[in-house]
Amino acid sequence: MTRSMEHFKVAIIGAGFAGLGTAIRLRQQGEESFVVLERAAEVGGVWRDNTYPGCACDVQSHLYSFSFAPNPDWSRRYSPQVEIWQYLRGCVERFDIRKYLRFGQELQQAAWDGETQRWRLRTSQGELTADILVLGAGALSEPSTPRLPGLESFQGKTFHSARWDHAYDLAGKRVAVIGTGASAIQFIPHIQPRVTKLHLFQRTPPWVVPCLDGAIGPGTRGLLRSSRLARAALRAQLFVTRELFALPFLRPALAGLVRLLALHFLKRSVPDKALRLKLTPPYQFGCKRILLSDDYFPALNQSNVEVITEGIKEVRAHSIVTSDGTERAIEVLIFGTGFEVRELPVARRVNGRDGRTLAQVWGPSPRAHLGTTVAGFPNLFVLQGPNTGLGHTSVIIMIESQIDHLLSALKYMRAHGLAAVEPLKEAEDAFVANVDGKMRRTVWLAGGCRSWYLDSTGRNFTLWPGFTFSFRSRVQNFDPSEYRCETQLKATAQGSGTAAARATHGA
Ligand code: NAP
């Protein structure tokens, strides 16, 4: 006797902001047939995994949160990781979605079955099927560690910022940090006072601007708790201000003033001229992610910190040797070297209509219609997909727009008795061409830097070249004319699913 496989309307991969947001919104629409598959033992995504000292979000919490789940009790303008993680766990209870969550279930393969018009999923704990597959696995989940010559011979302690070893005491140690990105500049000020020596290996100096963080007092919190209008006004003010931050990226000519302010901030913060020179970026403002920090430069001024700009030649058992031949003794090596963004690991596990994986179809340059759906992959929605990242404001706004697109698609499918929707290749190509065209004028392509925003072909496949409201207005509604829409296939008497009839719209 064959055991029937569990089936859901929607299967969601990942329980971070994207996956949980989708689950909550589905629930709000009255959908009950869905499941969230999470490989870890808890929700939270990057806010669960990144626990390094000083980890916080560089977008104000009142904007970096769901629009449908305001939290009047954020303790700071830029709340720390633990509070954001707590917020997400709180959302699970607040919207009563725990029963839809399955932990310890890693997606091994998802394959589209054209006969049944369903996704067949194999996870680390079994198999299931779903009409719709939502990938909410995120792009910043796999830590990237450079293959430094001799690294395997190192006898000291090593770890990556996204896998911080809190059991290991850094006090009194000689520490090397590699990387000066968003993560490193947050943890360096926290470890610098505890270590004997901090050797900071910098390949490219980032542009750093003041963060102006601060606690939110009980009076303001009380007001936000009691007044819906106050909450809406604060969010609107943050939204508008942060949208303006997009201008220097989109029109580099406008970046001049901000660049001068950043240089002034550097001059005011770092009195030592030689150090300042090392910390001055040789590329345009905004070409790489702009970093917000009030305590990074002060930490680098301390006598136990050395900023090293020579490349790493070799790692030895107890030291690092740079290209100029200098050897520095170290006991700990911390990688602040970012994530494997160029190929989403999950892309190798999703097979579309013709059996090829997303990774195979994408090749070196991932692309998607509206950053969300992919030709050849029916009923697949990729949250935080290609060209949906941001350099200026809260990515939650983008995620919510994509979720709205999914809900709008589901509504249309229900109303028209559809079993599958898949973007037309022409629609996807036109969208991508439009994005690429807008990208040409941005600082990310013309700014003279190397960044993880670009793929190996030099195309910016990560960021949205516009404002979030323009993304929202383009993406939130499902437009059937851009999709191939399939009605239910008529099954044969044996239920084999052989196509006796197929109707398509929008092709
Ligand atoms: P990252 O921005 O990719 O920075 C990695 C750093 O490591 C860079 O300085 C890079 O130098 C350096 N590096 C990489 N490989 C190297 C090598 N082989 N040798 C020497 N240096 C090397 O990584 P991240 O700081 O973890 O941040 C990743 C992303 O996470 C951010 O861009 C952001 O989107 C997100 N994030 C957000 C927040 C937040 O507050 N919202 C906080 C942390 C992270 P180059 O610059 O020369 O490549």
Side-chain angles (χ1 to χ4, degrees), residues 46-47 50 52 54-59 64 78 84 140 144-148 160-162 177-187 201-206 283 288-289 291-292 311-312 335-339 341 390 450-453 463:
V46 292
W47 298 107
N50 286 269
Y52 58 78
C55 182
C57 184
D58 58 10
V59 177
Y64 192 87
Y78 298 88
I84 301 170
L140 301 174
S144 162
T145 304
R147 289 190 200 96
L148 300 172
H160 189 279
S161 60
V177 171
I178 302 182
T180 52
S183 302
I185 71 138
Q186 289 186 332
F187 69 73
F201 291 87
Q202 172 190 273
R203 192 164 64 179
T204 316
Y283 55 89
K288 291 166 90 78
R289 190 180 172 92
L291 307 183
L292 277 65
I312 295 172
F335 291 102
T337 44
F339 299 87
V341 281
L390 296 173
R450 174 180 59 178
S451 78
W452 64 261
Y453 297 151
L463 297 183

Side-chain angles (χ1 to χ4, degrees), residues 274-307:
L275 177 58
R276 211 161 58 224
L277 205 63
K278 287 183 183 176
L279 299 176
T280 306
Y283 55 89
Q284 278 191 47
F285 184 84
C287 184
K288 291 166 90 78
R289 190 180 172 92
I290 292 168
L291 307 183
L292 277 65
S293 177
D294 300 326
D295 51 9
Y296 178 61
F297 287 148
L300 300 190
N301 287 330
Q302 303 311 309
S303 57
N304 66 338
V305 179
E306 182 193 14
V307 177

